[in-house]
Amino acid sequence: MRLLPASPLPARPGLVACLLLAALPAVGARGQTAPVPSPAELARWDANRNGRLDPEELAAQRAAAAAPGETVALSPFEVVADAAGYFQSNTMSGTRLNSKIEDLGQSITVMTKEQMSDFAMLNINDVFDHMASTEGTGTYSDFVVDRTGAVTDNVTFDPNNANRVRGLGNANIAFNNIAMTGRVPVDRLWLDSIELSRGPNANIFGLGNSAGTVNQVPSTANVSRNFARAEARVDSYDGWRGSLDVNRVLLRNRLAVRGSVAHQHTGFVRRPSGEDARRVSLQVKAQPFASTTLALSWYNYRNAGTRPNFSTPRDNITAWLAAGKPAWDPVTRLITLNGVTYGQGAGSTLVAGGATPITTLPTYFNNSPTEGRSLLRVGGAGDPRYFSTPTVTSTTTPLTGVSNNIRFVSTSAVNSYGAAQPLFASYAALADQSLYDWESVNLMAANKQWDNVDTYLAQLDQVFLRTPRHTLAAQATYLLEDARQIQDLPLGPASVNGVNGEIYADPNTRNLDGSPNPYFGRPYLRSKEPYLRERPQRWETVRAQLAYRLDFAADKSWTRWLGTQQFLGYHEYKDQRDAQYAWRRTPKSG
């Protein structure tokens, strides 16, 4: 017997190769690459708007830095990267205002877009591989076990939320500091950075998760310069991705548009499986006045695919083999145990000629999965579907008496651990790769899922007062997330009633019509809840903020010890509507 490895089943693409095409920085007279300016520096010093700082513009910048002059005050609702390598010093998490991380008594980490690109990170699970106190699907398999030992796989249909922060639970997903459904995976194409706030301090107003909050800082159109960025990527599991991000200035420092598109195929170890996703975004930014900024954005995410199972099923085969492969003939109503055939005797016993009667039947014969429902067997290629109606109660066994010809469709889970405990029983995971090859076979190959999510974002920033000491600004934000999801689950959900519940051995030697059962003794999956379900979500958020900043840090007198004080007035209205519609299939004749 081969034991299951301690690490989770492979859940993510393997080796990755990336190709990045973008505008190159200017090269000096001696072939040395000039420092890449930040967007704020370009907006201020790029006089000819060619997307770089020429020698005379660099000289003006250095002269202004050397001489005393005016202080450039940024909007308190805007984070402009002050980065050294991959380090970004400012964040919006924790206070909802542009604040230095060093001034906050919280555990906050900012992952820049440049770092995500250089390390080939795409989603939250990739990011969590490079952050402290976090676990994604590469190092953690999120599943829940209830008191009966039933396992529910949370990774299969919701990988964006199948993570853990500080060992507690999954992170709250936010976009522009607004809570999201989590239906759209985190992706660097639409972001400038990712901010992770760990612990109870993540429960700032409007958001709430004691484990942590991941805030996505969205990219916006740039009114100061044009740029284009193309990227291609392939990985070792037949995955690939191509993306394009283009920004165009229509009116210099006044109006700009930005569009992006990405197509991605994700492959997995277990086959058949795979996802095909498409992202499209359109953003417009207008600055009609120096103190007024209006940004409008639309994001669309579509995904269709079959995801593999990420946890092994419960083992109901090993104990069946150890018990002598109990078999049942539904036509003659005889059982075979260790090569001996037994028939129904008197007083709820099973006898075989003059042999000693059996009074304790191995618990491998029951009709429980039908629970009064019809039985439909779907076999392999060339094998017709087999349909029968239930005729007995779920407690009927060969030992208690069988008055009809019935087919026993399940072997019982007798290999439980801790079953004597009053509140919890667990069942061994299938660990014999000869019974189930978890490196190549996807148990959920028949299940499919489709997602279509539209996100609309409108934001108005207005600065009323901006001096070296005083800043007064307001912001109004509207965000609508319209998510539609369809799941076609003929094998049931990823839980005890579906493919990740249990693998059984078929104990029936014949079909009810007397024909030989070609699947006798072979492993099979059973599902008693095959259905099609639709899960729409519509989350609408309206937010208003008023911020006042009082800054004494530049003073030359004792008042500089008063530092910088920030005050924020906040109002948020949420309308979150979730629904689920489920349909169960019924067989039809013909």
Side-chain angles (χ1 to χ4, degrees), residues 7 88 141 153 188 205 219 231-232 263 271 297 406 433 453 456 459 475-476 502 539 582:
S7 60
Q88 182 169 305
S141 292
D153 185 349
R188 70 169 183 263
F205 32 86
S219 301
E231 182 176 334
H263 286 267
R271 308 293 178 88
S297 302
I406 66 171
Q433 198 168 4
V453 184
Y456 306 90
Q459 186 164 285
Q475 182 188 81
E502 303 170 21
W539 286 21

Side-chain angles (χ1 to χ4, degrees), residues 4-68:
L4 195 66
S7 60
L9 296 182
R12 47 184 301 219
L15 299 177
V16 175
C18 293
L19 174 64
L20 184 65
L21 304 176
L24 298 178
V27 179
R30 297 186 178 181
Q32 296 179 346
T33 302
V36 179
S38 68
E41 291 172 330
L42 277 176
R44 185 179 182 189
W45 300 108
D46 187 13
N48 57 10
R49 305 304 175 190
N50 61 356
R52 64 178 184 270
L53 296 185
D54 297 323
E56 61 274 11
E57 295 168 343
L58 287 171
Q61 182 187 33
R62 289 193 292 267

Side-chain angles (χ1 to χ4, degrees), residues 98-117:
N98 183 7
S99 305
K100 288 186 174 295
I101 298 178
E102 63 186 20
D103 294 335
L104 303 176
Q106 303 175 10
S107 178
I108 297 177
T109 301
V110 179
M111 179 77 71
T112 63
K113 185 171 186 172
E114 288 72 19
Q115 183 175 357
M116 293 181 66
S117 178

Side-chain angles (χ1 to χ4, degrees), residues 378-393:
V378 181
D383 181 62
R385 293 187 175 184
Y386 183 83
F387 176 77
S388 65
T389 57
T391 58
V392 297
T393 64

Side-chain angles (χ1 to χ4, degrees), residues 376 385 446-447 450 486-492 528-533 582-588:
L376 177 66
R385 293 187 175 184
N447 290 356
W450 295 266
I486 297 177
Q487 294 178 332
D488 187 6
L489 311 175
L491 285 179
K528 62 180 180 180
E529 292 186 4
Y531 55 80
L532 175 71
R533 66 183 180 185
W583 296 269
R584 289 184 177 175
R585 291 180 172 83
T586 57
K588 65 178 181 179

Side-chain angles (χ1 to χ4, degrees), residues 156-425:
T156 300
F157 288 121
D158 195 11
N160 199 41
N161 292 300
N163 54 68
R164 187 165 61 177
V165 180
R166 300 175 70 243
L168 296 178
N170 65 297
N172 183 75
I173 305 297
F175 189 77
N176 195 25
N177 267 319
I178 296 176
M180 305 294 285
T181 64
R183 292 280 181 85
V184 180
V186 174
D187 192 289
R188 70 169 183 263
L189 181 66
W190 294 345
L191 308 178
D192 280 339
S193 62
I194 291 179
E195 304 172 338
L196 172 64
S197 179
R198 303 175 185 84
N201 51 272
N203 289 314
I204 61 175
F205 32 86
L207 301 172
N209 194 315
S210 59
T213 292
V214 170
N215 178 45
Q216 306 168 72
V217 180
S219 301
T220 60
N222 192 310
V223 298
S224 63
R225 65 186 182 97
N226 296 323
F227 63 82
R229 182 186 184 96
E231 182 176 334
R233 164 190 174 120
V234 295
D235 65 54
S236 58
Y237 294 159
D238 299 329
W240 55 267
R241 174 186 170 102
S243 64
L244 178 65
D245 187 11
V246 179
N247 185 89
R248 284 295 177 262
V249 177
L250 303 181
L251 296 175
R252 186 170 299 169
N253 293 328
R254 289 291 182 266
L255 180 64
V257 296
R258 182 175 182 175
S260 64
V261 61
H263 286 267
Q264 177 178 335
H265 174 75
T266 304
F268 301 93
V269 175
R270 287 169 295 287
R271 308 293 178 88
S273 61
E275 287 185 303
D276 291 288
R278 189 215 67 183
R279 292 174 180 267
V280 178
S281 73
L282 179 62
Q283 301 148 44
V284 179
K285 177 179 279 189
Q287 290 183 329
F289 311 103
S291 57
T292 304
T293 302
L294 175 63
L296 303 174
S297 302
W298 167 70
Y299 308 90
N300 177 259
Y301 170 77
R302 291 175 179 264
N303 183 60
T306 297
R307 295 184 59 81
N309 56 297
F310 288 92
S311 61
T312 53
R314 307 303 94 183
D315 184 2
N316 275 309
I317 299 181
T318 301
W320 178 78
L321 296 174
K325 300 181 180 180
W328 166 253
D329 188 331
V331 178
T332 62
R333 298 191 292 277
L334 300 175
I335 74 167
T336 301
L337 182 63
N338 291 318
V340 179
T341 300
Y342 295 83
Q344 182 68 40
S348 297
T349 61
L350 293 175
V351 296
T356 303
I358 297 178
T359 58
T360 303
L361 183 70
T363 56
Y364 288 97
F365 304 106
N366 66 72
N367 204 35
S368 60
T370 63
E371 294 184 349
R373 303 173 188 174
S374 299
L375 168 65
L376 177 66
R377 189 189 75 192
V378 181
D383 181 62
R385 293 187 175 184
Y386 183 83
F387 176 77
S388 65
T389 57
T391 58
V392 297
T393 64
S394 61
T395 59
T396 301
T397 70
L399 191 62
T400 59
V402 178
S403 59
N404 317 73
N405 292 2
I406 66 171
R407 177 183 177 87
F408 292 114
V409 297
S410 172
T411 55
S412 298
V414 299
N415 57 328
S416 61
Y417 297 119
Q421 301 179 28
L423 297 179
F424 184 83

